[in-house]
Amino acid sequence: MEFKTADLYDHHGDTLRVCEPIFRDFGGHVHFSGQAVTVKCFEDNSHVKSTLAESGEGRVLIVDAGGSLRCAMLGDLIAASAVEQGWAGVVLFGCVRDSEEIANMPLGIKALAAIPRKSQRRGEGQRDIPVTFAGVRFSPGDAVYCDRDGILVSVTPLAPKHSE
């Protein structure tokens, strides 16, 4: 689906949730959308890795990593798995690593920053629960739209409309 978040906002306004502009683009695609799958974890990327190893079917993984800037929750190997499995993208309230490699992958990734330190894997975290960050609540199944202008969230998928 072709869309611009600005046009979607112009046509759907207050029915949309708009993320605070705190994210940077890291993936090879800056324009992506899909149905939300959620993970909540802190400095442990076990659930990020296992979720992105499943069939993505064009979905977007929403990761509440607590905004930690101490370690990366996503690197090139996990991102490559997401590409192979057909994920549209990842919105990560945390950090990535291997940013040069990720920039060349056909995957949308919005995250706070890049850092070389990897996370621990202890099997901690939760999946498919509502998460809140950047001023927005994300629920499993929400429709997520991302481009250079930002991130929009809707309870239902939106029909594209163009500005006049």
Side-chain angles (χ1 to χ4, degrees):
M1 173 179 113
E2 292 292 321
F3 68 89
K4 289 193 220 173
T5 57
D7 290 344
L8 290 174
Y9 186 83
D10 288 349
H11 292 285
H12 300 280
D14 293 334
T15 65
L16 301 173
R17 291 168 269 164
V18 181
C19 284
E20 295 166 350
I22 60 175
F23 297 96
R24 293 174 45 197
D25 288 302
F26 287 95
H29 290 171
V30 296
H31 188 269
F32 61 99
S33 65
Q35 185 180 37
V37 174
T38 62
V39 166
K40 183 175 180 131
C41 51
F42 185 75
E43 298 182 0
D44 177 343
N45 72 347
S46 302
H47 286 286
V48 174
K49 181 180 180 184
S50 64
T51 302
L52 292 175
E54 298 173 6
S55 178
E57 301 170 349
R59 295 176 295 170
V60 176
L61 181 61
I62 307 297
V63 182
D64 180 356
S68 175
L69 301 176
R70 295 190 296 219
C71 65
M73 300 295 286
L74 178 71
D76 62 340
L77 298 177
I78 296 173
S81 174
V83 170
E84 289 172 17
Q85 294 299 324
W87 288 85
V90 178
V91 176
L92 173 58
F93 187 50
C95 295
V96 299
R97 61 188 249 158
D98 304 311
S99 60
E100 287 186 37
E101 292 84 355
I102 287 173
N104 295 313
M105 294 182 185
L107 181 67
I109 300 174
K110 288 196 177 278
L112 299 177
I115 188 169
R117 182 182 300 123
K118 66 181 178 178
S119 76
Q120 300 294 311
R121 289 205 187 117
R122 299 178 301 275
E124 297 173 359
Q126 298 171 287
R127 182 173 160 178
D128 298 325
I129 62 166
V131 297
T132 302
F133 57 84
V136 168
R137 179 182 170 101
F138 297 87
S139 293
D142 283 347
V144 180
Y145 301 89
C146 303
D147 66 11
R148 288 192 195 280
D149 287 338
I151 303 168
L152 297 177
V153 182
S154 174
V155 173
T156 59
L158 304 173
K161 296 181 182 176
H162 300 288
S163 291
E164 283 114 49

